[in-house]
C-alpha cells in the first residue's frame, strides 16, 4: 500500500498527491482489530457454539444439539428474567434520560454555582459499582440503615429490598445514582457544542425558553441522546454487580435479571452450556435494541460528517 | 472534602463575542424547574455520601443503634485500621497494575485503528470501524463463559493478565469511537501540507494526529482507567486467589467477612475511593472535560 501512494505522488502531480499520499496502510489497524476480535468477537462465536453443548466446566463440552435452546424457550425462569431485564432497562432509561438531559442542559451554563454543583454530582462516578451497591445495601438495611429514619417520612417501608417491586426499583435507582453524572456530562458536552447563533436567532424571533428547548436544544442533541441511550440500554441490560450485591436476585427470583440468571446457571450450578444460551440471548437483545436505536436516529450516518475526505 | 470550586475552563467556543449577552439573558429568566431538580438530585447525592463517611467513623454499636444521620459522637479510625490490616495494600497494588496496563494496551492499539478509520478510504477500514461501533453493544456477560474457557486454555486463569486482557478488549470500541471523533477534527489541509513536505504516514500520526488529539487521548485514558478500576465480572470469574485480588472483589469479600460490621464495610468503601478521588482532585478539569466528550457530536 505505501508503495502505491508514493508512486502516485511521483506520477500524479500535486493534486493527486495531496489526495493519496500519507494515508496510513489499513494494516495498522490490524493489531487492534485482532486483539478486539480475540477477546470479544471470537468468544461471542464460541458462546453461540457452546449454547449447543453441554459443559460442566471441567470435562470437554459435548454437543447436545438444540436442547439448550428448546429448554430456554420453555423455561419460566428465563422468561421472567428476560421480562425483568427489559423492565429494568425501560425504567432506567425513562428515569435517567430526562433527569440527565435536564441536569446536563442546566449544567452547561457557566455560573460558578453550577461548577460547584457539577463537582458534587460527579462524585458517584468515582465509586465503583461494587462500592455503590454495598453502600446502598448498608443504607437500605431495614434495621440499621438510614432508610429506617428517612423512609417513613416519605411513606417508604424500610424493608424496601424485601419487596419485589421495591427491590427492582431500588436496583434501577442505584444504577441511575451511579451513572447519572456520566450521562449528565455527556449532555453537558453536547449542549455546549450547540452553536449560540441558533439561540440568538430564536431570541430575535421571540421564542421563549420552552420553545428554544424543544426546537433547538432537543433536536441538536439528537446524536447525544442516541449515544447516551445506547450506553444506558446496554448498561442496564447488564446490571450484574448491583443485583448480586444488593439482592442476590431476590426476593425469590424477583430481581433475577438475565445476567444474574446467566451467572447463577453458569458459575454456581456449572451448567455452562445453558448459561451460554442465556448469554447469547442477552447479546441478541442488546444488539437488536442498539441497532434499532442507531438506525432510528440515523446515528450510523456519522461518517458523513467527514467532509472532504 | 475540599472540592475545586473554580469555574469550568471555557472550551473552544466558535461564537465568542455575542455569547455573554445571551447567557445573561437566559440566566435572568433562569430555569426554575431544572434548578429545583438539580437541588433535589444534590440531596440524593449528598446524603448517601455523608452517611458513608460519618458512619465509617463510628463505633460499631453507635452505627447499629444510633441515628445513622447523626454525627459520630466519638469518632474513631478503628474501622480503617481493621480494613488496612486485612490485605488492603495488595488489592490496591493489583488494581493499579490492572488499570495502568489496561490503559497502555488500549492506547497503543486503539490509536492506529482510529487513525486508519479517519484517514483511509478503504472499504475494509469502514467495515472495521462499524464493527467497533457495534462492539459498544456487546455486553461482557455475553462472552464470560467462553472467556473462562479461553483464559483457562491460555494458562492465564487466576492471574492479573486474565483481568487486563478482556478489560482492555472491552474498552476498545468506546476508545476507537472517541479517538476517531477527535482525529476527524484535524483539518485535511494540515495533512496535505505535511504530505507535500514528504512526511510519511507514521510521521503524520506522530507529529500531527496524536498531538492534535491530546484531549481525546486523555479522555480515553481516563475512561479506560475508570472501567478497569470498576471492573467486577472479569475478576470474579477469572481470578480466585487472594494474591490476585483487585479492590472491587476485595470489597465484595469484606462484605461477607465483616458481616454486620457495617462501619468497617463503609470504611473499606471509603478507602477504595481515596486513590481515585485524589486523582480527581488533581486532574478534575481533564477528567470532566474528557468525559464530556464521550457523547460525540
Amino acid at each position: 500500500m505505501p508503495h502505491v501512494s508514493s508512486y502516485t505522488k511521483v506520477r500524479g502531480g500535486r493534486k493527486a498527491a495531496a489526495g493519496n499520499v500519507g494515508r496510513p496502510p489499513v494494516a495498522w489497524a490490524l493489531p487492534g482489530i485482532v486483539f478486539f476480535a480475540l477477546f470479544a468477537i471470537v468468544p461471542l462465536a464460541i458462546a453461540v457454539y457452546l449454547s449447543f453443548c453441554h459443559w460442566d466446566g471441567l470435562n470437554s463440552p459435548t454437543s447436545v444439539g438444540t436442547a439448550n435452546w428448546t429448554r430456554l424457550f420453555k423455561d419460566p425462569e428465563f422468561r421472567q428474567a428476560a421480562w425483568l431485564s427489559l423492565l429494568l432497562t425501560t425504567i432506567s432509561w425513562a428515569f435517567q434520560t430526562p433527569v440527565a438531559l435536564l441536569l446536563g442542559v442546566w449544567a452547561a451554563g457557566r455560573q460558578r454555582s453550577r461548577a460547584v454543583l457539577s463537582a458534587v454530582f460527579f462524585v458517584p462516578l468515582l465509586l465503583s459499582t461494587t462500592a455503590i451497591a454495598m453502600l446502598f445495601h448498608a443504607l437500605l438495611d431495614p434495621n440499621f440503615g438510614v432508610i429506617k429514619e428517612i423512609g417513613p417520612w416519605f411513606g417508604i417501608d424500610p424493608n424496601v429490598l424485601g419487596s419485589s417491586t421495591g427491590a427492582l426499583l431500588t436496583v434501577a435507582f442505584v444504577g441511575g445514582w451511579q451513572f447519572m453524572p456520566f450521562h449528565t456530562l455527556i449532555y453537558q458536552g453536547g449542549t455546549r457544542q450547540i452553536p449560540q447563533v441558533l439561540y440568538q436567532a430564536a431570541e430575535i424571533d421571540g421564542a421563549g425558553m420552552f420553545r428554544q428547548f424543544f426546537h433547538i436544544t432537543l433536536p441538536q442533541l439528537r446524536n447525544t441522546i442516541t449515544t447516551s441511550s445506547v450506553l444506558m440500554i446496554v448498561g442496564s441490560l447488564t446490571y450484574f454487580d448491583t443485583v448480586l450485591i444488593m439482592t442476590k436476585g431476590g426476593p425469590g427470583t424477583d430481581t433475577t435479571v438475565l445476567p444474574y440468571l446467566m451467572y447463577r446457571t453458569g458459575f454456581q450450578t456449572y451448567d455452562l452450556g445453558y448459561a451460554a444460551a442465556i448469554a447469547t440471548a442477552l447479546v441478541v437483545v442488546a444488539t437488536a435494541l442498539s441497532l434499532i436505536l442507531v438506525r432510528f436516529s440515523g446515528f450510523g450516518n456519522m461518517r458523513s460528517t467527514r467532509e472532504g475526505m | 472534602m475540599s472540592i475545586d470550586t473554580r469555574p469550568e475552563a471555557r472550551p473552544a467556543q466558535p461564537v465568542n463575542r455575542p455569547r455573554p449577552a445571551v447567557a445573561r439573558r437566559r440566566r435572568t429568566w433562569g430555569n426554575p424547574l431544572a434548578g429545583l431538580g438539580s437541588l433535589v438530585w444534590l440531596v440524593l447525592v449528598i446524603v448517601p455520601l455523608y452517611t458513608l463517611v460519618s458512619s465509617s467513623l463510628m463505633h460499631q454499636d453507635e452505627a447499629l443503634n444510633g441515628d445513622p444521620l447523626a454525627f459520630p459522637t466519638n469518632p474513631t479510625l478503628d474501622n480503617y485500621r481493621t480494613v488496612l490490616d486485612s490485605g488492603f495494600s495488595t488489592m490496591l497494588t493489583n488494581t493499579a497494575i490492572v488499570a495502568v496496563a489496561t490503559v497502555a494496551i488500549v492506547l497503543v492499539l486503539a490509536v492506529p485503528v482510529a487513525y486508519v478509520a479517519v484517514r483511509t478510504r478503504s472499504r475494509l477500514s469502514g467495515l472495521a470501524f462499524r464493527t467497533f461501533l457495534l462492539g459498544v453493544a456487546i455486553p461482557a456477560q455475553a462472552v464470560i463463559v467462553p472467556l473462562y474457557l479461553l483464559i483457562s486454555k491460555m494458562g492465564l486463569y487466576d492471574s492479573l493478565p486474565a483481568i487486563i486482557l478482556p478489560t482492555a478488549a472491552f474498552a476498545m470500541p468506546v476508545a476507537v469511537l472517541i479517538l476517531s471523533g477527535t482525529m476527524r477534527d484535524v483539518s485535511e489541509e494540515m495533512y496535505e501540507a505535511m504530505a507535500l513536505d514528504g512526511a510519511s504516514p507514521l510521521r503524520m500520526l506522530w507529529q500531527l494526529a496524536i498531538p492534535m488529539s491530546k484531549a481525546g487521548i486523555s479522555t480515553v485514558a481516563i475512561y479506560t482507567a475508570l472501567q478497569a478500576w470498576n471492573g467486577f465480572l472479569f475478576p470474579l470469574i477469572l481470578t480466585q486467589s487472594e494474591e490476585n485480588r483487585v479492590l472491587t472483589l476485595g470489597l465484595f469479600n469484606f462484605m461477607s467477612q465483616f458481616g454486620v460490621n457495617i462501619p468497617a464495610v463503609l470504611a473499606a468503601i471509603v478507602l477504595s475511593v481515596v486513590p481515585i478521588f485524589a486523582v480527581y482532585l488533581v486532574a478534575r478539569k481533564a477528567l470532566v472535560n474528557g468525559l464530556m466528550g464521550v457523547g460525540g457530536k
Side-chain angles (χ1 to χ4, degrees), chain A residues 4-298:
Chain A
V4 177
S5 42
S6 51
Y7 176 66
T8 340
K9 186 192 170 192
V10 177
R11 262 192 34 165
R14 289 186 53 172
K15 257 292 187 277
N20 289 311
V21 167
R23 304 232 175 247
V26 179
W28 283 15
L30 272 182
I33 294 169
V34 168
F35 180 72
F36 178 65
L38 181 62
F39 289 102
I41 310 274
V42 171
L44 204 58
I46 305 180
V48 177
Y49 164 74
L50 283 175
S51 75
F52 294 98
C53 292
H54 175 78
W55 186 38
D56 58 8
L58 289 173
N59 304 300
S60 298
T62 48
S63 173
V64 288
T66 54
N68 287 325
W69 288 96
T70 19
R71 179 176 156 201
L72 189 82
F73 288 113
K74 282 189 200 142
D75 186 355
E77 273 202 322
F78 172 77
R79 244 179 259 175
Q80 189 200 20
W83 162 245
L84 286 174
S85 281
L86 286 176
L87 192 64
L88 182 66
T89 304
T90 314
I91 296 171
S92 304
W93 184 83
F95 155 58
Q96 289 183 46
T97 302
V99 181
L101 182 66
L102 283 177
L103 278 178
V105 171
W106 177 82
R110 292 171 198 283
Q111 294 86 334
R112 200 183 165 77
S113 60
R114 295 181 194 206
V116 179
L117 285 186
S118 305
V120 179
F121 288 147
F122 192 83
V123 175
L125 209 54
L126 303 174
L127 279 71
S128 61
T129 317
T130 323
I132 290 175
M134 283 167 59
L135 168 61
F136 275 92
H137 186 77
L139 293 178
L140 297 177
D141 188 302
N143 300 313
F144 315 119
V146 180
I147 188 75
K148 78 169 178 196
E149 299 289 326
I150 297 181
W153 302 352
F154 301 99
I156 299 172
D157 174 17
N159 189 18
V160 65
L161 284 178
S163 88
S164 47
T165 328
L168 192 71
L169 288 176
T170 307
V171 172
F173 172 78
V174 172
W177 193 84
Q178 175 180 11
F179 292 113
M180 200 70 82
F182 176 68
H183 294 283
T184 302
L185 279 175
I186 290 185
Y187 283 117
Q188 193 178 341
T191 309
R192 286 200 180 160
Q193 282 176 2
I194 302 176
Q196 288 295 326
V197 205
L198 295 177
Y199 292 104
Q200 289 154 15
E203 296 250 317
I204 292 167
D205 291 346
M209 197 183 73
F210 283 97
R211 286 190 69 127
Q212 288 187 15
F213 180 76
F214 285 106
H215 288 97
I216 301 174
T217 314
L218 268 192
Q220 288 282 323
L221 285 179
R222 202 180 60 162
N223 281 348
T224 316
I225 295 175
T226 312
T227 314
S228 158
S229 299
V230 169
L231 293 173
M232 222 179 251
I233 287 173
V234 177
S236 40
L237 269 179
T238 53
Y239 277 166
F240 170 71
D241 327 16
T242 320
V243 173
L244 174 69
I245 291 165
M246 292 186 64
T247 67
K248 293 212 163 41
T253 53
D254 287 335
T255 55
T256 302
V257 287
L258 281 179
Y260 188 76
L261 182 67
M262 193 265 324
Y263 168 74
R264 219 186 57 194
T265 315
F267 298 97
Q268 286 180 346
T269 48
Y270 292 98
D271 193 351
L272 287 139
Y274 191 51
I278 299 173
T280 309
L282 179 69
V283 81
V284 169
V285 175
T287 316
L289 283 179
S290 313
L291 274 181
I292 291 169
L293 208 63
V294 167
R295 173 114 326 168
F296 177 67
S297 64

Side-chain angles (χ1 to χ4, degrees), chain A residues 9 14 18-26 28-29 31-33 35-36 38-41 43-44 46-47 50 55 95 102-103 106 110-112 115-131 134-139 141 144-146 148-150 173 176-178 180 182 185-186 188-189 192-193 196-197 199-200 203 209 212 223 227 231 234 238 240-241 244-245 259 262-263 267 272 275 279 282-283 286-287 290-291 300 302-303 305-306 308-309, chain B residues 3 5-8 11 13 15 18-19 22 25-27 30-31 34-35 38 41-42 44-46 48-49 51-52 64 66-69 105 109 112-113 115-122 124 126 128-132 134-139 141-150 154 165 168-170 172-173 184 188 192 195-196 198 201-202 204-205 223 226 230 232-233 236-237 248 251-252 255 262 265-266 269 273 276-277 280 284 287-288 291-292 294-297:
Chain A
K9 186 192 170 192
R14 289 186 53 172
N20 289 311
V21 167
R23 304 232 175 247
V26 179
W28 283 15
I33 294 169
F35 180 72
F36 178 65
L38 181 62
F39 289 102
I41 310 274
L44 204 58
I46 305 180
L50 283 175
W55 186 38
F95 155 58
L102 283 177
L103 278 178
W106 177 82
R110 292 171 198 283
Q111 294 86 334
R112 200 183 165 77
V116 179
L117 285 186
S118 305
V120 179
F121 288 147
F122 192 83
V123 175
L125 209 54
L126 303 174
L127 279 71
S128 61
T129 317
T130 323
M134 283 167 59
L135 168 61
F136 275 92
H137 186 77
L139 293 178
D141 188 302
F144 315 119
V146 180
K148 78 169 178 196
E149 299 289 326
I150 297 181
F173 172 78
W177 193 84
Q178 175 180 11
M180 200 70 82
F182 176 68
L185 279 175
I186 290 185
Q188 193 178 341
R192 286 200 180 160
Q193 282 176 2
Q196 288 295 326
V197 205
Y199 292 104
Q200 289 154 15
E203 296 250 317
M209 197 183 73
Q212 288 187 15
N223 281 348
T227 314
L231 293 173
V234 177
T238 53
F240 170 71
D241 327 16
L244 174 69
I245 291 165
M262 193 265 324
Y263 168 74
F267 298 97
L272 287 139
L282 179 69
V283 81
T287 316
S290 313
L291 274 181
M302 65 181 280
R303 274 160 55 86
T305 55
R306 293 163 60 187
M309 296 210 55
Chain B
I3 284 173
T5 55
R6 280 170 297 177
E8 308 275 358
Q13 261 295 334
V15 186
R19 194 186 45 75
V22 177
R25 168 79 86 99
R26 282 205 280 161
R27 194 195 312 163
N31 187 341
S38 62
W41 194 251
L42 186 68
L44 286 177
V45 171
I46 283 190
L49 293 178
T51 321
L52 168 66
L64 296 189
D67 176 353
L69 284 176
I105 293 179
L109 293 180
V113 174
Y115 187 57
V116 166
V118 171
R119 293 279 298 149
T120 305
R121 292 160 168 177
S122 97
L124 207 66
F129 185 68
R130 266 158 206 273
T131 312
F132 277 107
L134 266 185
V136 175
I138 302 180
Q141 283 105 337
V143 299
I144 192 65
V145 174
L147 270 180
Y148 175 65
L149 179 70
L150 198 70
M154 292 168 91
L165 296 174
F170 275 83
M172 286 283 290
R184 203 164 281 142
E188 186 64 18
E192 283 171 15
L196 288 176
L202 185 64
M204 291 187 189
L205 171 65
Y223 185 80
L226 275 176
N230 208 344
F232 180 72
L233 186 69
L236 177 72
I237 308 281
T248 46
L251 279 182
F252 183 56
M255 203 169 115
I262 290 178
V265 170
L266 295 177
I269 296 176
V273 196
I276 209 150
F277 194 76
Y280 172 63
R284 185 179 154 257
L287 209 66
V288 172
L291 286 172
M292 227 185 262
V294 173
K297 331 177 170 152

Side-chain angles (χ1 to χ4, degrees), chain B residues 51-101:
Chain B
T51 321
L52 168 66
V53 176
S54 81
S55 300
S56 74
L57 295 169
M58 287 179 185
H59 289 282
Q60 202 181 340
D61 54 333
E62 188 184 1
L64 296 189
N65 303 319
D67 176 353
L69 284 176
F71 282 110
T73 47
N74 192 2
T76 170
L77 288 175
D78 281 354
N79 304 310
Y80 288 88
R81 234 164 268 138
T82 312
V83 176
L84 287 174
D85 285 345
S86 45
F88 192 82
S89 60
T90 316
M91 297 186 303
L92 190 63
T93 320
N94 286 341
T95 310
I97 294 174
V98 168
V100 171

